[in-house]
Amino acid sequence: MSATIDRGLNALREQIDSPVASFFSSCVSCGLCAEACIFYRATEDPKYTPIKKLDLMRRVWAREFTLFGRIGGMLGLIKPVTDEDLTEWETLVYDSCTMCGRCSLVCPVGNDITMMIRKMREGMSAAGHAPVELIGAAQRHTDKGSPMGDLSKAIHAQVKHAIDETGIEIEFDKEGVDYMVILSAQEIAEFPDVLSAMARIFKKTGVTWTISSEAFEATNVGIQLGNRDVAKVLVSRVVEAAEKLKVKGIISPECGHAYQALRWEGPNLIGRTYPFEVVHIIELLDRLRAEGKLKTKGKNTDRLTFHDPCQINRRGGINQEPRNLMNMVSEDFVEMESGGTMNWCCGGGGGVGANERAEKLRHAAFKFKKIQIDKVEPDAIVTMCAYCHHTLDNVFEEFDIEQDVIGLTELVAEYLDDDA
Amino acid sequence: MNSPAFDLLMWARGPAFDIALTIFIGGIIIRVLEIVILGRKKDMAAPKGNPVAQGFKTIFSRSIPREGLVKFAPITYLGGYIFHLGFFVAFLFFAPHIALFTDAFGIKWPDAGRVIIESATALAVIALLALIYSRMTDPVRKALTTFDDYLVLILSGLPLITGYVAVNKLFGDGQMMIAIHILSVEALMIAFPFTKLMHAVTFVMSRYYNGTIQGRKGAES
Amino acid sequence: MANTPMLAEMMKTHGISRRAFMKYCASLTSLMALSPALAPRVAEALENAPRPSVIWLSFQECTGCTEAITRSHAPTIEDLIFNAVSLDYHHTLQAASGHAAEEAREHAMKQHYGKYILIVDGSIPIKDPGYSCIAGISNLDMLKETAAGAAAIVSVGTCAAYGGVGHADPNPTGAVAVSEIIKDKPIINVPGCPPIPVVMTGVLAHFLSFGIPELDELGRPKAFYGNSIHDRCYRRPFYDKGQFAEGFDDEGAREGWCLYKLGCKGPTTKSACATVKWNNGVSFPIEAGHPCLGCTEPDFWDNGGFYKPLSVPAGDYRDAGLAAVAGGAALGAASALLAKAGKTKAAQAHETVDAHDLEKSS
């Protein structure tokens, strides 16, 4: 079995539903989605107009899902989609879209373009038009448990390190605790301090938790790839592990698409609701704060700003929670222009960060993002997504910019009131 | 003796209207059913917000532009607003048009005087010209624009222009201009189901869907 | 009847002063939209015009046109015009009847061949000419016969001009206008149901003084049919302000607001009603509170209903709409189900892939 255009078009057909049909019916090609798109705004190249990235899907819909389109197709007015088309669109669909969702919020007729890009990628990936890096990551994740390969040793080492650092016991595979914590590969490899932070906060707030040695990887490259079969395999591992451990919930870590994958797509991928809750770490921290369990002492006096990860705020619904926490621990918290729901993407999401071919475009997008940051001139940028953190760190390095980026969980842990 | 103008007027008010109405209503129903019947899978994710409530809210709230975007596409935003407002004021508040609704549905509402109607018409036409200009010159819009877009803009503008000419007897025979005005509306009606004019119906659905998708997540829409 | 007596002599006989005559000529001049400077020319032409012979034929008609012209403003100056012509045949007005009447017509035709004016009111049935006969002669034959020697024809009233009520759907008699039958003579249409008396006499006066007046594409003298009633209506300001009577007894009706919504056809009707008015300039239908029926226009009987506003479709559009709902629902459901079937087929054809399955083989 190998990827073919027929398989791709078939996958695309499966994706077309009422919302898609209404979106294509409603588009008046006003081009406002372009004004919202970081890739268009950074390059001002009209080919990056979001709705144009969906033209192939529109054609399949028109030709096969509408009476007038069928007639138009017979008359040769709407051309069938060819493999050459898919090749041409591959870069548009994968390289110039982080699925950040800004376009979906500005479209005057309410088209959820981002959701359609996600669907479009189903067809592209099934047809063999996904970027090699994402395919490689999917293979590593499927075979070895993480997109970076086998991180079993690494997670054990990091947990041990956290135990040593905090003196708090962290147990693997402990049944019946409140939460199962999963982490993104990025956190395990790059930002392991989050483990110590969580250990300290949960200890203080009385939350019991564990890590599954079988399913500790939170990311899901199937979502970025746009392949629900792959995504289903990966999400099932986490769901099954949680069910095995009989936890009340899973804590989705500081990772954008992991939250999207587990919280919003997961139940639909496996076709059933979860017997446990999925809560984002920041959501949980804010809940603990509201309940009075999470207490902090003192405040950071630096000029801090907050970078909203697209998949967690705009596409995930977590907007006020991090702000409550920011105000709790920061004295000089300054919002960026368009901060919050309309925040500009870091440029690395949706698989773009892993895609080498997209590097130039990513850098162009960052220059645009940087304008937003420069207006605030923060001492540090706080965020709640390890991949945003990673992307920002990398581009700052690339452009020789001194700029601290901090994870919100760590920042909160720093001001944890140890006496309370 | 036959008067071409009078015969055309009677044809426009009679058989042509019936034909246009049939295509208009039938076509819209076809396209709406094609969307609705297709269906969508039930979303299994536990909702954080209220999808349905936000869906309905978004139908209205999406009429307000996101902060900060107007300045990047002023012609599209302002032109779009002025055109839609002008078009609907002229369409829905001109007494002869209300008379049509009264005849069809037995409903009526207050009408606006000539000053308002003609100002609205003039503004809508100017906005339309600006939108056409922006489609011809702005790179993004130029790249997106197809024959359909120009057709829709022209078909939307003709009833405004011909209506203005007919009411004010700017030129041509009075009967002929009324006939042409009615025919231009019928052209708009006939084109409606086949073109992007459909957005005037389906925007309600797409905004609703967008609202439900975001609303389930407790996210803004 | 001799054609020698001139108008001047006729005036004297009727006791009409020179001053009154000149006043009439001046108003006639302005009515015909001519320069006031031409008034003396009108007077001169009328004074010196020989008294022409006129044959008036009435076919499928209601005598309303005759009623209008005779009852107009008698005994006024219009009456004079009729005395200025020699009305040799008019079966409602003439004293003679039977063979004597027809003889009068034949006599006049013979005597004034090529010079007499033929006035027609009423439509002509052509489906079966026997539908309407006079003295055993069908209207069709009588028209053809009489028209042959006419200098010009004046089709008075909408029936003669455009077929009128006889021609209205379903037109059982196959009624047609004079112009449908007579193609080789100048025809002046003076439509209206009935036409305004002063317009009828004005047209005749013009013909006598200057010959055939300038006509529009419907054969109407532009002087009297140049503007729509709507454009000259004293209620027009209410239309512009959006003030309409919605019923015959509502506040709007009492206030004298625009009658558009009650079906007024003023906007598409060309006539001098709003300026010349009727009954010696007293009033006209709209002033009396009734919407214009549009009677100077062809097929005004079939324009979708006298009380339907112009903007309302004339046909049975509800039937079309209901048919469209049914047809659209059927086609839409069929198309949607076809699309859904395609989607189901795609779902069945779905090959579960894994990460090692995402590259093209070649």
Side-chain angles (χ1 to χ4, degrees), chain B residues 7-20:
Chain B
D7 288 351
L8 190 66
L9 176 63
M10 287 313 299
W11 186 73
R13 289 179 63 206
F17 183 81
D18 293 351
I19 294 167

Side-chain angles (χ1 to χ4, degrees), chain A residues 30-315:
Chain A
C30 69
L32 290 178
C33 47
E35 311 300 337
C37 177
I38 193 166
F39 293 103
Y40 167 72
R41 285 283 285 279
T43 61
E44 297 201 342
D45 186 337
K47 75 176 179 183
Y48 295 127
T49 303
I51 195 71
K52 267 190 97 67
K53 298 170 190 170
L54 294 162
D55 207 48
L56 302 184
M57 193 178 184
R58 184 188 61 77
R59 269 152 61 181
V60 171
W61 161 75
R63 283 175 59 91
E64 300 180 27
F65 288 76
T66 71
L67 176 65
F68 303 145
R70 275 176 205 276
I71 297 166
M74 286 174 202
L75 297 174
L77 298 173
I78 308 167
K79 300 264 178 296
V81 174
T82 63
D83 204 47
E84 289 71 45
D85 290 331
L86 294 177
T87 307
E88 193 185 333
W89 256 260
E90 183 182 324
T91 53
L92 292 176
V93 173
Y94 283 103
D95 300 13
S96 69
C97 178
T98 58
M99 300 204 278
C100 83
R102 279 187 116 248
C103 51
S104 297
L105 283 196
V106 305
C107 175
V109 293
N111 290 352
D112 192 344
I113 298 168
T114 316
M115 176 264 247
M116 291 199 281
I117 293 276
R118 167 70 184 84
K119 285 170 175 282
M120 176 86 184
R121 286 187 182 186
E122 287 284 341
M124 299 295 285
S125 67
H129 283 281
V132 286
E133 295 88 343
L134 292 184
I135 295 174
Q139 288 169 352
R140 286 190 297 278
H141 198 159
T142 305
D143 300 343
K144 296 176 179 165
S146 177
M148 293 185 182
D150 187 359
L151 293 181
S152 299
K153 279 184 188 153
I155 183 87
H156 279 93
Q158 300 294 13
V159 165
K160 188 172 177 300
H161 178 79
I163 294 169
D164 293 345
E165 192 181 82
T166 60
I168 299 165
E169 192 54 37
I170 302 170
E171 287 183 67
F172 276 92
D173 306 316
K174 192 176 176 192
E175 280 186 33
V177 293
D178 295 339
Y179 292 105
M180 178 177 108
V181 165
I182 52 176
L183 293 169
S184 73
Q186 222 62 46
E187 287 174 299
I188 300 167
E190 220 174 322
F191 312 112
D193 290 346
V194 75
L195 271 169
S196 306
M198 281 197 279
R200 291 181 56 225
I201 294 169
F202 293 153
K203 175 85 177 168
K204 269 281 161 216
T205 52
V207 172
T208 58
W209 60 294
T210 188
I211 297 171
S212 165
S213 57
E214 287 166 14
F216 52 82
E217 175 58 61
T219 63
N220 190 329
V221 71
I223 302 292
Q224 294 153 335
L225 203 52
N227 191 291
R228 63 191 169 100
D229 292 337
V230 173
K232 181 183 174 180
V233 168
L234 304 180
V235 87
S236 296
R237 291 180 185 169
V238 177
V239 172
E240 280 159 21
E243 284 172 335
K244 206 164 129 190
L245 294 174
K246 300 180 188 70
V247 290
K248 279 189 275 181
I250 299 178
I251 296 174
S252 186
E254 290 196 2
C255 173
H257 84 271
Y259 182 64
Q260 197 64 230
L262 185 63
R263 177 69 176 93
W264 302 117
E265 280 215 31
N268 297 310
L269 288 168
I270 64 171
R272 62 186 171 90
T273 51
Y274 299 148
F276 48 80
E277 76 158 336
V278 173
V279 63
H280 188 264
I281 176 72
I282 297 304
E283 232 179 337
L284 179 62
L285 295 189
D286 187 54
R287 199 190 291 168
L288 294 169
R289 177 201 62 81
E291 287 167 357
K293 290 176 184 164
L294 175 64
K295 289 196 175 68
T296 54
K297 197 168 73 180
K299 283 188 178 184
N300 187 307
T301 53
D302 287 345
R303 187 175 174 80
L304 300 181
T305 191
F306 189 76
H307 168 80
D308 288 277
C310 310
Q311 301 303 320
I312 299 177
N313 184 337
R314 190 160 41 243
R315 304 292 291 171

